[in-house]
Every structure is written in C-alpha cells, then in structure tokens.
Amino acid sequence: MDTLETMEEMADSWVWLKPALPELRMLGLPVLRHEYQRLFTEEECPARESAWSDQVMAGGTHNLLVLYRQAGIALQGRAPDSLAMQLIYAAWYLEQDLPNSPYGWRDLWEHLCGWVPQFARCLQEKAALEIYRALGQRLEELFTPCASGQ
C-alpha cells in the first residue's frame, strides 16, 4: 500500500499520473508487479540503452561504470546502461559544477534523446496497464524534442 499511497501523493504534482490511479487501485500491486516483470524483466520493453542503440553512453559499459564510480553512484543491481542509472547520473550531473567535463550536459541529454523515445513508444504500444502507457507517453514528450532538433 505504501507504493500506491506514494503514487497518489506524486500525482498531486505529476498530473499525467492521475488517470492511471483508479486502475491501480482496482487491480492492485500484484498486477503492477507482474506487468513490470513482463515489460522489463522478460524484455518486452527493456529499459536499457544497449537494447535500443549500438552507441552506449560514454562509449560503453566500462566507461559508464567509471563515471558512476567517480560520481559515487552505486548500481544497486541495475545494469549500467539502464535508463534508471542514466537518469540518476543525469540528476547528479545537473547538481554539479562541471564546466570542464568532457561529457557536457547537452551531450548527455542528446544522447538520452537518441534512444529513450523508442523505449517510450514500446511502453505505449505493449503495456497492458495505463501507468506504463502514461509513463511511456511522458518519456516520449520529454525526450523527443531534442531528438528532432526542436
């Protein structure tokens, strides 16, 4: 129930999340977990860059591990090229003052824009639950503008 309560609190700020809540309340967290497994663990829509792009951020997994280590970020069981890890790194990067970094914020953002929209469309097409379709739509909205040069 903590997860559902947290999502309800988040929906106060993230309006795009609200339409998915009635379905979650009705179906419950076991269905949410099952859908998560199907989409991400069983690889229906892998949330890893290597599944969508030949060019992994920073030139590959080893370099990603170096970046994360330098930032003090632990994988906690996630793949180095997972969207979660790349977004954690992006959030860390934004909090830093790194004017001389060889991998600038714009490069990082444009790199994410190169593969996240494909992943987002997969979620919208293959997800059985509104929460994942809404997440896919939101990710596509956030990451498509820079991929199309807008």
Side-chain angles (χ1 to χ4, degrees), residues 48-122:
R48 292 183 330 280
E49 182 178 12
S50 59
W52 303 101
S53 173
D54 293 333
Q55 184 72 355
V56 174
M57 188 170 85
T61 302
H62 173 73
N63 294 342
L64 280 173
L65 290 171
V66 171
L67 286 177
Y68 300 153
R69 202 170 312 124
Q70 290 172 343
I73 299 170
L75 291 177
Q76 298 179 345
R78 297 180 191 103
D81 69 328
S82 71
L83 179 58
M85 288 307 301
Q86 290 187 8
L87 291 177
I88 290 167
Y89 180 75
W92 172 86
Y93 193 98
L94 280 173
E95 293 174 352
Q96 307 306 305
D97 182 20
L98 302 171
N100 298 320
S101 173
Y103 201 69
W105 168 245
R106 187 164 194 70
D107 293 329
L108 174 59
W109 185 254
E110 287 176 358
H111 192 85
L112 288 167
C113 289
W115 71 274
V116 173
Q118 291 173 277
F119 165 70
R121 285 188 291 278
C122 182

Side-chain angles (χ1 to χ4, degrees), residues 2 6 8-9 18 22-23 33 35 44 51-52 54 60 63 68-69 85 91 97 106 121-122 134 136 141 143-145:
D2 289 343
T6 300
E8 288 172 346
E9 288 175 18
K18 280 188 183 200
E23 180 183 55
R33 277 191 223 87
E35 180 73 345
E44 192 75 28
W52 303 101
D54 293 333
N63 294 342
Y68 300 153
R69 202 170 312 124
M85 288 307 301
D97 182 20
R106 187 164 194 70
R121 285 188 291 278
C122 182
E141 289 170 4
F143 287 97
T144 297

